[in-house]
């Protein structure tokens, strides 16, 4: 009798042990997927879209968002069950500090989109509800490419949009797969169109290719058409080319995109102008196009001076002084000394160089020729320089959302 009981007890213990092991190693398939240093790279590499909630357990906003994000993840999994399509993941930034550092997380919760292994330039800043998340994912997974069925359609494309056009012998070729992945990553910045087979045979025969990709600039870019000359099966190479073509050299700064522009980390060269003065914006774009190489050191921007009156006041200017050109280094703001030279690309380039050599800072304090006094303290000097305004918009662990009043 006791032997039977012992055997039953032993079997139950073994069974319970197996159940616990299974649950630990095979968690329920509900909610967002927890990403760790051991799984994050494989997840990013094997999915077209990964939407990640970076959170901290001690953060009240993180705790409020968690059940909403998990519910959305369940609905997305039902809507898109195919492997490799989309994953909604979450990262505990206290436990996975290496991942948090890798993605430059400085506030919680932060929601980032990863497309084909590449982080999107823009964080998710939409409504934080289950329905909004599901709708966002659906939109992200829409086909980013419009197929044309008549070459005449290409004559009627929107000239105000930047466009990349692909010509392919067939859809089931690796070159088109690469093209589609690039289009998925850049669909927020460019329109993508494609044609196949006999319809585009002339374009392919003329180029002696079985595939061809061409960039068409918008009518404000002051650029020419450009054909992609790289490896049509190299995703990274084509994506770099597409980024160069699709991201405008000179962008408009608004209250809606100011924070994401500061996240890029480059000093801001901003032309503040009257809202109706499109001519000065055009002049600025033309000058910047001649010093394109400087885009690796500075962000070329233009903004409505009537809206950005607060930064102007820091510079000692008003809307009556527009247009005004300035650099915000995220420490101080510096005025371009001579607006008559806005059409001189060499003058703009020298303005950037003077920022990086420290000349702007020195000249502001001492003038062109005066040697600084050794008795003047740094604290006394920096108090005279207009402080940066846009530094307030850089990511901060103390700010959950962008407030309009910060500018």
């Amino acid at each position: 009798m006791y032997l039977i009981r012992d055997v039953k007890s032993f079997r139950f213990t073994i069974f319970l042990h197996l159940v616990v092991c299974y649950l630990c190693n095979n968690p329920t398939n509900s909610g967002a997927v927890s990403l760790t240093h051991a799984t994050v790279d494989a997840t990013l590499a094997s999915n077209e879209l990964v939407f990640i909630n970076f959170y901290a357990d001690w953060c009240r906003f993180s705790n409020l968002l968690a059940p909403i994000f998990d519910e959305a993840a369940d609905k997305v999994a039902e809507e898109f069950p195919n492997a490799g399509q989309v994953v909604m993941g979450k990262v505990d930034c206290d436990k996975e500090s290496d991942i948090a550092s890798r993605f430059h997380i400085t506030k919680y919760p932060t929601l980032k989109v990863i497309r084909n292994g590449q982080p999107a330039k823009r964080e998710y800043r939409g409504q934080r509800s289950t329905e909004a998340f599901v709708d966002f994912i659906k939109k992200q997974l829409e086909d980013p490419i419009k197929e044309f069925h008549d070459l005449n359609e290409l004559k009627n494309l929107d000239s105000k949009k930047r466009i990349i056009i692909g010509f392919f012998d067939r859809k089931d070729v690796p070159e088109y797969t690469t093209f589609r992945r690039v289009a998925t990553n850049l669909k927020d910045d460019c329109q993508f169109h494609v044609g196949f087979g006999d319809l585009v045979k002339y374009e392919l025969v003329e180029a002696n290719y079985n595939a061809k990709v061409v960039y068409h600039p918008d009518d404000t870019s002051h650029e020419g058409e450009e054909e992609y000359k790289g490896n049509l099966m190299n995703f990274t190479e084509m994506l770099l080319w597409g980024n160069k073509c699709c991201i405008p050299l000179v962008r408009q700064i608004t209250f809606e995109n100011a924070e994401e522009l500061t996240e890029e980390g480059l000093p801001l060269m901003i032309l503040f102008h009257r809202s109706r003065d499109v001519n000065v914006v055009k002049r600025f774009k033309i000058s910047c196009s001649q010093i394109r190489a400087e885009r690796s050191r500075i962000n070329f921007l233009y903004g409505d001076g009537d809206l950005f009156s607060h930064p102007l006041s820091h510079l000692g200017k008003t809307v009556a002084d527009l247009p005004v050109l300035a650099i915000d280094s995220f420490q101080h703001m510096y005025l371009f000394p001579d607006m008559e030279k806005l059409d001189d690309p060499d003058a703009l380039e020298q303005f950037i160089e003077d920022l990086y050599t420290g000349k702007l800072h020195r000249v502001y304090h001492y003038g062109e020729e005066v040697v600084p006094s050794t008795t003047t303290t740094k604290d006394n000097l920096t108090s005279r320089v207009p402080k940066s305004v846009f530094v307030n918009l850089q990511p901060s662990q103390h700010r959950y959302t962008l407030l309009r009043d910060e500018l």
Side-chain angles (χ1 to χ4, degrees), residues 310-340:
H310 182 56
L312 284 176
S313 68
H314 272 240
L315 292 163
K317 300 290 184 180
T318 69
V319 292
D321 299 307
L322 297 175
V324 168
L325 183 66
I327 287 178
D328 191 311
S329 70
F330 300 129
Q331 291 183 325
H332 301 291
M333 297 181 72
Y334 301 100
L335 274 171
F336 186 56
D338 188 356
M339 287 301 293
E340 294 295 323

Side-chain angles (χ1 to χ4, degrees), residues 242-302:
N243 265 302
K244 177 179 71 71
C245 294
C246 292
I247 310 292
L249 176 64
V250 185
R251 292 175 283 179
Q252 183 177 19
I253 185 169
T254 65
F255 284 111
E256 289 72 26
N257 71 358
E259 185 178 10
E260 67 188 46
L261 289 173
T262 67
E263 287 173 2
E264 296 177 10
L266 294 175
L268 312 177
M269 179 188 277
I270 309 175
L271 173 70
F272 297 102
H273 65 97
R274 292 187 179 276
S275 57
R276 295 183 180 180
D277 191 356
V278 295
N279 184 56
V280 74
V281 175
K282 181 178 180 181
R283 289 166 52 201
F284 181 56
K285 287 182 176 181
I286 292 173
S287 292
C288 293
S289 69
Q290 298 179 59
I291 54 171
R292 177 177 294 275
E294 295 291 348
R295 76 182 305 169
S296 63
R297 298 206 293 172
I298 203 150
N299 263 334
F300 296 106
L301 306 168
Y302 64 95

Side-chain angles (χ1 to χ4, degrees), residues 126-154:
Q127 184 181 353
R128 301 190 176 197
S129 68
T130 299
E131 294 74 18
F133 288 143
V134 174
D135 288 344
F136 174 74
I137 294 295
K138 288 180 179 179
K139 186 174 181 180
Q140 293 298 306
L141 292 175
E142 289 176 354
D143 193 335
I145 304 173
K146 297 180 180 179
E147 183 177 349
F148 58 87
H149 301 280
D150 188 322
L151 290 176
N152 288 324
E153 294 177 36
L154 299 181

Side-chain angles (χ1 to χ4, degrees), residues 57 89 102 116 123 160 235 257 284-285 319 331 342 344 348:
D57 278 335
R102 172 179 165 183
N116 296 303
E123 293 178 7
K160 296 180 181 179
F235 168 70
N257 71 358
F284 181 56
K285 287 182 176 181
V319 292
Q331 291 183 325
L342 184 66
D344 182 357
L348 297 188

Side-chain angles (χ1 to χ4, degrees), residues 10-27:
F10 176 74
R11 287 177 176 174
F12 178 76
T13 301
I14 293 296
F15 172 76
L16 185 61
H17 175 74
L18 291 173
V19 169
V20 171
C21 288
Y22 176 81
L23 292 176
C24 289
N25 292 285
N26 299 275

